[in-house]
Structures are given as structure tokens and as C-alpha cells.
Amino acid sequence: MARSSRRPTGPPVFGHTAETHAFWRRTVRAAQKVGAVTPFFLFDPRAVAEGLTRMDALDLGRPAVQWFSTKTQPLLPLLEWWRRQGRPVEVVSEAEFRLVMAAGFDTASLLVNGPAKHRWLPAVSRPGLRVNFDSLRELNALLPLARRDRWQIGLRLCTSEEFDTEFPESPTQFGLTPDEAAMAVRRLHKAGLEVETLQFHLRTQVSSADCYARALADVVGFSDSAKLKPKHLDLGGGWPARHTLGRGGKRLDAGFSPESFALVVRQAVNRFPSVREVWLENGRYLTAGSGVLAVSVLDVKERRGVRQLICDGGRTLHALVSLWEQHALIPLPKRSGPTTLTACYGPTCMAFDQMARRELPRTLRVGDTLLWLDAGAYHLPWETRFSHGHAGIWWHEDGRMTPVRHRD
């Protein structure tokens, strides 16, 4: 029978090195040797450290501060590792706030972002917090607390570059319009508070440095009209993860250059002599490569020219990003020989539960472990218990393997 017309024309190219594949195979075997049972996540901070080195080398025209985006990877051992590097964290919810407190961060190392903070922030507020206001309602509700606890204030702006990725003709729901922001400045001044930070957040997987250039032009225009002298520029928005592809097979970072981003920022800060620091919140770019998801093949079927692998983990439970991203999928042990169009499914009773569809070796069989690479961003916060339990979590650092959570 003829195969589907949607069959890939060639294997996807993710760009990982052979050393990366060998590292994860070796480390997953080490986890299994001490009791890890699939499905499980395995994380190691090596890729995060490498990403930080790349980002710290950029010349932004001002000192740069790398804030850890907690929502991207709310993992206690990684937060503790980040704290030991002497770096600060950004949170957008009460759960994240309490998690970073448990990881040992102090108020001076904490930035509060996100919408609707007036719902939860009063319960955990403390003196000296850094808070970026997202709306006028939020500001009005929290202003007495901001004065009492001497918060360091920022405004989150909704720039013309921000749009709903599902409906590009519409803006996102975040931040203040220029008119709202001007009103916020007046209310803050009346309360005796100054705006120290101007922030925006474009979206995740920002495709080009040009997106930042357009957003920064809006920030410059607003700051000039409001006669502000901000100390910090907070450039929110996720740089695209390396080694991941879109559904069409193109690398998501194909059009993004960190060096071009740095040039855009240097040009913008020349318009801001008051700015002392540039703040970045790149979670996905830093953490994606720091983890893998290990699953086992439970069953094999052949249907209409497609080989189907039923695994104990998949999209519904562990890898929601597979709906719009393609990640490298490598077998443990290595399998070679002729390939065939293969679809990898999770164990749930959902046709939606397809983690990958591509050419894979026909020699893959029941009992093999498959490694879904670049599982270090958004996999944990989007994990579900649909008809099953949570996966195990293991942390590997400096040769030591530590269980964080056992499989349900």
C-alpha cells in the first residue's frame, strides 16, 4: 500500500554533536544503573553553564544581568545551582515565589513579573522587592503595599511588536499601552515612587533581533515622552532554543543571531544614558539542552506503511512542545540499518499523543529506551497525569546522580 503523502522527504537535521549524544547515552545508563525507571527526566547543568558563557561574552553596551526564568524550568536542584553561581531569579506566580525562597534566594535576588499579581503578591510581600507592574488595576491594588514595603518599581510595556501567535493581528494580553503607562507614571509619582525599570516581553522563540529593535524603538519613544530616566532595561522574550526544529523542519534559531541582538541593544542604550544595566530573561535558550526524557518502547505496530512505536511516555504526559517542535530522538542502545517512517506514541488513549514522526531504524524493538533531547524547557511545568502518573526526575551534577522525584 502507498505511504502517506505527508512522509518526510529526508531526515531532520538537529545539529547536535556526537559528543552530546554520547554524553546523554552514558548519563542515562548511569541513572538506570542506580534505579531510574522509564519514563523519567534527567537533567544536568552543563548546557546551562555553556549558554551563560555565550551570553556573558556579548557586548550589550551596559553590564548585563541574566535572570533565571523560573517558569521555564521550576526544578529545585537547578535553582540551587543557579544561586551558587551568584545569579538572580524571575518569578511570575506565588508557587514560583515560594519555590525560589526554598532554594535559598533572598529578596535582593528576586524579580516579580507576570499579570494579575494583585491576586497573590500581598500574601508573600516583603521589603525591597523588585516588581514590574502589568496593568493599572494591578498598580492601584498594590500601590499601598509598594509604598509600605519600599518596592523597586518597573513598568511592563505592551509594544507594537507584541502579538498573539495564534492571531497575529491581535496584541498579547500583557503590559501597559502607552496611554496606560503614562497614567501609571503619574500615579507613581504622586505616591512618591519612581520608575526604575522599563520592561517588555515579546514571546518565546523570538525569530530575529529585528523584533527587539522594533520593541526598543517603542520603549525609547515612551521614555522620552514620559521624561523617564530608567536605571534598567528589562528585555523579556525567549531566544530560540538551539537544536530544535519547527513542524516544517526548519531550525527555530535559523534567523536569530545573538551578535545581532547585542548590536541592537548597544544602539538602544545609547539613547538611555541613565540605564545602568540590561536585564535578560532567557529561559528556553539556556535550559532546553540541559535535559532529556527517557521512555521505553512497549509495543510495535505496522499500519498503512507507518511503523508505530507505543512508549511509556509521550506528548500528552511529558512533551507538549512536540505539538509545534521537533526534537532529536535517539535510541539506547544504538540502532542502525535501514530506516522507515516511524511514529512514536505515548501510552495514553489519545490520538493526540504522538511525540515524533520521522524516519527511524527498523531495528528499534520492544524494550529499547528512546531519548527525547532538549527536554529542559517547559516540559516539567506542562507535565500532566492524564490517566497515568508523573515521570521520575533525576539530577546529574559533577558525576553525582540524585533522585529528585520517583516515578508515580
Side-chain angles (χ1 to χ4, degrees):
M1 183 176 291
R3 294 188 178 184
S4 166
S5 61
R6 296 180 63 192
R7 179 177 179 176
T9 57
V13 179
F14 297 96
H16 295 97
T17 65
E19 191 277 333
T20 295
H21 284 195
F23 170 80
W24 284 119
R25 283 191 171 106
R26 184 171 64 249
T27 310
V28 166
R29 287 192 187 99
Q32 291 176 323
K33 189 173 293 186
V34 295
V37 179
T38 62
F40 65 87
F41 290 99
L42 174 61
F43 301 107
D44 182 286
R46 185 180 70 161
V48 183
E50 293 170 352
L52 282 170
T53 298
R54 290 191 295 270
M55 297 183 77
D56 287 343
L58 296 174
D59 176 12
L60 303 183
R62 297 288 192 281
V65 178
Q66 312 288 349
W67 296 86
F68 183 86
S69 172
T70 305
K71 68 178 181 293
T72 309
Q73 183 69 326
L75 179 64
L76 184 60
L78 180 55
L79 284 163
E80 291 171 337
W81 178 89
W82 186 270
R83 178 180 54 78
R84 292 196 300 271
Q85 314 311 307
R87 298 184 185 262
V89 290
E90 180 243 15
V91 302
V92 296
S93 70
E94 182 177 354
E96 292 177 20
F97 190 103
R98 294 188 184 280
L99 179 63
V100 301
M101 290 293 105
F105 288 91
D106 57 24
T107 302
S109 302
L110 181 62
L111 172 64
V112 183
N113 259 325
K117 293 184 286 295
H118 55 295
R119 178 176 179 268
W120 61 268
L121 192 50
V124 294
S125 180
R126 55 199 65 192
L129 279 181
R130 290 184 174 93
V131 179
N132 290 338
F133 285 117
D134 183 75
S135 76
L136 288 176
R137 183 182 300 275
E138 185 183 83
L139 185 149
N140 289 337
L142 293 175
L143 193 54
L145 199 56
R147 293 183 65 186
R148 188 197 75 186
D149 286 349
R150 305 182 303 282
W151 289 355
Q152 299 175 59
I153 303 299
L155 295 181
R156 186 175 192 175
L157 305 178
C158 181
T159 69
S160 59
E161 179 60 23
E162 295 172 55
F163 57 86
D164 184 329
T165 53
E166 290 188 86
F167 303 97
E169 69 279 4
S170 299
T172 68
Q173 70 271 38
F174 305 117
L176 297 145
T177 66
D179 288 344
E180 291 170 338
M183 193 176 301
V185 170
R186 290 194 293 270
R187 291 180 185 176
L188 288 166
H189 284 176
K190 188 175 180 180
L193 297 171
E194 297 296 323
V195 177
E196 297 189 4
T197 304
L198 290 178
Q199 192 247 4
F200 61 83
H201 192 285
L202 296 183
R203 59 195 154 273
T204 190
Q205 305 282 27
V206 178
S207 59
S208 167
D210 293 341
C211 302
Y212 283 97
R214 291 188 288 269
L216 280 164
D218 288 351
V219 174
V220 169
F222 170 75
S223 183
D224 288 346
S225 67
K227 297 181 173 55
L228 293 179
K229 294 183 178 180
K231 297 178 182 178
H232 320 113
L233 274 183
D234 185 351
L235 311 187
W239 294 8
R242 306 166 76 230
H243 310 307
T244 59
L245 313 182
R247 297 307 300 169
K250 182 179 178 181
R251 279 188 59 156
L252 292 170
D253 65 350
F256 188 89
S257 163
E259 291 73 24
S260 296
F261 169 84
L263 176 60
V264 164
V265 176
R266 287 199 304 272
Q267 292 171 340
V269 296
N270 286 337
R271 300 285 305 275
F272 283 106
S274 63
V275 167
R276 302 175 186 174
E277 295 176 337
V278 174
W279 293 356
L280 304 178
E281 308 161 11
N282 286 283
R284 182 190 296 274
Y285 179 83
L286 289 171
T287 67
S290 68
V292 296
L293 168 66
V295 301
S296 292
V297 179
L298 304 176
D299 202 352
V300 180
K301 300 179 180 181
E302 296 274 354
R303 302 285 175 84
R304 303 176 190 172
V306 180
R307 195 164 191 253
Q308 298 172 317
L309 307 182
I310 313 299
C311 304
D312 57 7
R315 173 187 292 169
T316 303
L317 296 170
H318 315 111
L320 181 63
V321 298
S322 65
L323 185 60
W324 57 88
E325 294 179 7
Q326 297 187 69
H327 290 212
L329 189 69
I330 61 174
L332 179 72
K334 292 182 180 180
R335 296 294 183 201
S336 57
T339 63
T340 189
L341 180 60
T342 305
C344 299
Y345 298 92
T348 65
C349 196
M350 294 279 288
F352 168 86
D353 198 5
Q354 182 187 111
M355 190 164 63
R357 180 185 173 93
R358 66 189 62 147
E359 293 282 328
L360 292 171
R362 285 199 65 87
T363 49
L364 283 170
R365 57 179 181 258
V366 170
D368 282 353
T369 298
L370 303 178
L371 309 185
W372 164 267
L373 271 58
D374 297 292
Y378 294 105
H379 290 65
L380 291 184
W382 280 336
E383 192 181 12
T384 75
R385 278 193 169 106
F386 185 91
S387 295
H388 293 72
H390 277 162
I393 299 175
W394 291 76
W395 175 255
H396 179 260
E397 184 181 349
D398 297 331
R400 298 188 305 275
M401 193 71 65
T402 306
V404 178
R405 181 182 73 194
H406 290 290
R407 188 191 66 173
D408 286 347

